[in-house]
Amino acid sequence: MPGNIIPGVVAPLPIKLQQGNAYWGAEHIQKRHGQWLINNNHTVASMVYFKLSQSGTVYSAEEHDKSKIRLNLNPAALLVLKYISNGQFLSITSLYLKNSVPDGTQLGRYIGGGNPRAPRVTPVFAPP
């Protein structure tokens, strides 16, 4: 995520998909939105990679340490992020189908990895 989009965050931050649990992360996305992933022929990791390669609009969220990215290209989706200040990264809370504009204040643009000017989206996998 480029700097100066999320309030109080000046430097660019990596976006990470963590394992999580039933309430956030990869486990939450699989449990709550698994059918959407199946319908679009994706796993959690491949959908996150696919959507972060696109550009979108960043919005504020209800909690001060959260933000959202609306990604319009098929399938339209909303990516919910939580700022982890001590680790200096954004953790993916959820990713799901969303066709409408989310609530919140528009904060800026996320330029996805598919844009030559954007940072590359790099999959990182934990060792076995």
Side-chain angles (χ1 to χ4, degrees), residues 80-102:
V80 182
L81 304 167
K82 180 174 178 128
Y83 175 50
I84 309 298
S85 60
N86 62 349
Q88 292 298 302
F89 66 94
L90 296 169
S91 179
I92 297 173
T93 299
S94 193
L95 174 65
Y96 56 91
L97 173 67
K98 176 82 170 171
N99 287 314
S100 61
V101 175

Side-chain angles (χ1 to χ4, degrees), residues 4-79:
N4 296 313
I5 292 179
I6 296 173
V9 179
V10 201
L13 292 174
I15 297 172
K16 296 182 181 185
L17 174 63
Q18 297 180 289
Q19 189 64 34
N21 58 34
Y23 304 103
W24 65 275
E27 283 189 33
H28 164 78
I29 296 167
Q30 183 62 50
K31 181 178 179 180
R32 294 290 309 261
H33 312 293
Q35 190 59 50
W36 175 66
L37 296 170
I38 291 168
N39 293 346
N40 286 281
N41 298 314
H42 278 283
T43 64
V44 173
S46 69
M47 182 62 89
V48 166
Y49 182 82
F50 175 64
K51 296 312 288 180
L52 286 176
S53 296
Q54 301 174 6
S55 295
T57 305
V58 181
Y59 291 86
S60 64
E62 299 78 27
E63 298 175 37
H64 77 282
D65 60 350
K66 286 191 176 179
S67 55
K68 304 177 266 196
I69 305 175
R70 179 180 183 216
L71 301 156
N72 295 329
L73 296 180
N74 193 28
L78 189 69
L79 180 69

